[in-house]
Amino acid sequence: MKDAFRLPIGETGRLLSLLSAAGAIEDQLESALGEVGLSIAKMGLIANLVDIDEAISLSRLADRCACVRSNITQLVDRLESDGLVQREADPDDRRSIRATLTPAGRERYEAGRAVLEDRVGAMVARIGGKIPNSIIEQMERLAGRACS
Amino acid sequence: MKDAFRLPIGETGRLLSLLSAAGAIEDQLESALGEVGLSIAKMGLIANLVDIDEAISLSRLADRCACVRSNITQLVDRLESDGLVQREADPDDRRSIRATLTPAGRERYEAGRAVLEDRVGAMVARIGGKIPNSIIEQMERLAGRACS
DNA sequence: AAAGATTGACTCCTCAATCTTA
DNA sequence: TAAGATTGAGGAGTCAATCTTT
């Protein structure tokens, strides 16, 4: 979210500030990844491919990325034209298309991981080097997906 | 951000979880506002108009919304076709275009405010009715715009 | 009919280029 | 020249409709 608009109503303004800060953090990660030709969305997809370490159908990828299939179609389009990901046919089901990482994609992942580690390190240093569990828990609770 | 991808690296994964939770909260506000035909972006703009309470140039609006001018051009396009905002010429500077709220816009703002208050109330109730200052402060610090 | 992928149309955002007015 | 607004192109996301294959 770009900016917390002023709403002098109970907790709403405070929640909007929280989201605004989260947006600023996200922007910084986006810009860090931009330095190596990635974005959070692209990094998210290739991180999944690295994690799985084998060809995976675009549908399963959509599940893992928690987004809609058509979004993956377009994201893979861009990653394919970046040369980081490849589509391949699934011999067992001709409806299905699977994505794999190219060698360049794997290298790019490493670059993204490094740049992210750096930037996050600098951020987290500002609050003493560790993100307290309590913050994560409260945010998850607010989101209604608390683990407890 | 859609989903925190797994990055088994120091604090990075934890920060991504935080952003993912923030995204989930944002989605819920977006959907609440959607019930009255608004979005966070639209609500942000009309909340600024309500706050200012007079015609304001699109450039100043862009500053207040913390976004780029061309974004305001398009947002105002959509709000104008929703009938919530109107453009008017500035008699003092013929380059400038000012935005004003229509009566429908003001009513819609009230609807948005109400629905937001409800939804935020329900969320905040899950953590005891108040968002602790400590969370906001830590998030601002992480974002590098700490007030202290 | 239902699943997998794509396409088209839309919101929301950015940047770069353009056009008008100051 | 610079400031105000718009346009064009593109990234990232959604939804609805389509097409092929199961």
Side-chain angles (χ1 to χ4, degrees):
Chain A
M1 212 189 30
K2 285 303 348 162
D3 196 28
F5 38 97
R6 304 296 154 244
L7 278 181
I9 317 157
E11 293 297 302
T12 305
R14 294 164 62 74
L15 186 58
L16 291 172
S17 298
L18 216 50
L19 296 183
S20 170
I25 293 168
E26 208 168 317
D27 285 351
Q28 289 176 44
L29 300 189
E30 204 78 63
S31 122
L33 286 169
E35 291 165 18
V36 298
L38 285 174
S39 61
I40 293 180
K42 288 179 176 178
M43 184 63 180
L45 196 148
I46 71 181
N48 267 293
L49 291 181
V50 166
D51 191 33
I52 294 175
D53 202 33
E54 62 180 358
I56 180 182
S57 81
L58 301 194
S59 279
R60 289 216 301 143
L61 212 36
D63 292 342
R64 289 195 134 235
C65 292
C67 74
V68 99
R69 269 184 295 277
S70 60
N71 193 25
I72 296 297
T73 296
Q74 301 172 49
L75 195 44
V76 169
D77 282 350
R78 280 173 248 127
L79 284 165
E80 211 168 13
S81 70
D82 290 343
L84 306 181
V85 162
Q86 262 184 332
R87 279 180 167 91
E88 64 178 37
D90 182 338
D92 297 339
D93 184 343
R94 283 158 51 204
R95 291 173 306 179
S96 178
I97 299 221
R98 298 188 306 189
T100 51
L101 260 191
T102 64
R106 188 165 296 264
E107 282 167 30
R108 195 68 69 87
Y109 167 78
E110 285 308 324
R113 199 198 49 66
V115 87
L116 225 38
E117 194 168 4
D118 269 21
R119 191 64 62 101
V120 171
M123 285 182 176
V124 172
R126 299 197 276 257
I127 60 166
K130 256 195 64 71
I131 301 169
N133 282 329
S134 56
I135 298 189
I136 299 179
E137 282 162 15
Q138 307 246 55
M139 289 289 281
E140 293 286 348
R141 286 249 202 87
L142 281 171
R145 46 182 211 190
C147 21
S148 67
Chain B
M1 213 190 31
K2 286 304 346 161
D3 196 27
F5 39 95
R6 305 296 153 242
L7 277 181
I9 317 156
E11 293 296 302
T12 305
R14 294 163 63 76
L15 186 59
L16 291 171
S17 297
L18 216 50
L19 296 183
S20 170
I25 292 167
E26 208 169 318
D27 285 350
Q28 289 175 44
L29 300 188
E30 203 78 64
S31 121
L33 286 169
E35 291 165 18
V36 298
L38 287 175
S39 61
I40 294 179
K42 289 179 175 177
M43 182 66 180
L45 195 148
I46 71 181
N48 267 293
L49 291 181
V50 167
D51 191 35
I52 294 173
D53 203 32
E54 62 180 358
I56 180 182
S57 81
L58 300 194
S59 279
R60 288 217 301 142
L61 212 36
D63 291 341
R64 289 195 134 235
C65 291
C67 72
V68 98
R69 269 185 296 277
S70 61
N71 193 25
I72 296 296
T73 296
Q74 302 172 45
L75 196 43
V76 169
D77 282 348
R78 281 174 247 128
L79 284 165
E80 211 168 14
S81 68
D82 289 343
L84 306 180
V85 162
Q86 261 183 332
R87 280 179 167 91
E88 63 177 39
D90 182 339
D92 298 338
D93 185 342
R94 282 158 53 203
R95 291 173 304 179
S96 179
I97 298 223
R98 297 187 307 189
T100 51
L101 259 192
T102 64
R106 189 166 293 265
E107 284 168 29
R108 195 67 69 88
Y109 168 77
E110 285 308 324
R113 199 198 47 67
V115 88
L116 225 39
E117 194 167 2
D118 270 22
R119 191 64 62 100
V120 171
M123 284 180 176
V124 171
R126 298 198 276 257
I127 60 166
K130 259 196 62 73
I131 302 170
N133 281 330
S134 55
I135 298 189
I136 299 179
E137 282 162 16
Q138 306 246 57
M139 288 289 281
E140 293 288 346
R141 287 249 202 88
L142 281 171
R145 47 182 209 189
C147 19
S148 70

